[in-house]
Amino acid sequence: MDRDRRDDAAGRGALRVEEGREPEHPAEGPAGSRSTAEADGDAPAGDGAAAAGDAEAAGSRVSGTADPAAGGQAGPAAAPGVARVPAPDGGPPVPLAPGWQRPVPGPDPGPYGPKPYLPGPYVWVPPAGPRNGSGIAAVILGVIGAVLAFTLLLSPLAVILGGLALGFGIVTLRRVRRGEARNRGSGLAGIWLGGVAAVVGIGMSILLVVLAIDFFAPVPPETDSAVEAGRTIAYEDGLEVTLDAARVRGDFLEVRVRVENGTGGMATLANSEVSAYPIGSDDGDLEQESGHGLPLTLAEDHVAVAVYRFVLDGGPGDVEFEVSPGGPYEYAYWWTDLGGPADERPA
């Protein structure tokens, strides 16, 4: 803006100088160019001298020379025929360049300066679709969590998945209220499934912890000696185990294991085990032909019976049994005589 003002001032000064400039050689001026005062003969001599002095001073300003009597300073010399204009800042006159033209002023920028650049027209952007992803995630996590909740070993994972399903379901309902989603049913389904998975998973996880504690805390029987088949061995927590054995069809030995829960709570019988081997023989354990184990758990005051069948390799003899009811219970021992002398029975 300052530059435009300087150019305007320089242009106006140039026009004023060009309009009032006198010929460089007064002698070459047109005939009859005398002043009106001289033509009429009315102007006094003093006034003519003053006019001549003013013209001389004006010529000195144009030509760049200073009047010694006025105490001015000499400006830069200019070539013949080049106009000079006063500087806007009060300095010495500035010569005009050849072919100079007065600049055309632009539009008024106003009190706040030039207008900023305006961007082009806006591009239409289609609106975003509904955000239904959280509802879908809630349903998937809820279904998986509900299935895993009924498995004992994976119940802790079901609790985590159920909590995530609840969270995604709540987020979905909030988005539906704001108009950002449209699957309110999925959000509700995720909340219900997640709640079921979390509640059942917590219960199964507690049971898993109890079983783990019982499993790693062994319970020994009241006696470490082998007893005759048909007798009962009690454990320290009140569990009672009875074993019976009998020969069937000549070459098979059938063993029945009866367990009664007198512990006052639920008993853990996972991984029960029964084995039979001939006394005094190096042939190893008898081969188990069939049978099924005890249940994983046994409620208070309940009875469970397991039946096993072993293959007899030789004739009659003494057989010893090694039984573990499962869970934290240690092994108990029984023996039976399959027709041998009484003095050969183990003590």
Side-chain angles (χ1 to χ4, degrees), residues 208-219 268-271 326-329:
L208 179 63
V209 172
V210 173
L211 295 179
I213 293 175
D214 291 342
F215 183 81
F216 291 104
V219 179
T268 303
L269 303 179
N271 300 323
Y329 298 99

Side-chain angles (χ1 to χ4, degrees), residues 247-253 277-278 281 283-287 310-319 338-339:
R247 184 194 295 269
V248 293
R249 292 188 301 175
D251 296 333
F252 293 98
L253 179 64
Y277 52 91
S281 174
D283 295 337
D285 296 346
L286 297 178
E287 180 183 356
F310 296 90
V311 178
L312 294 174
D313 294 336
D318 296 332
V319 179
L338 298 179

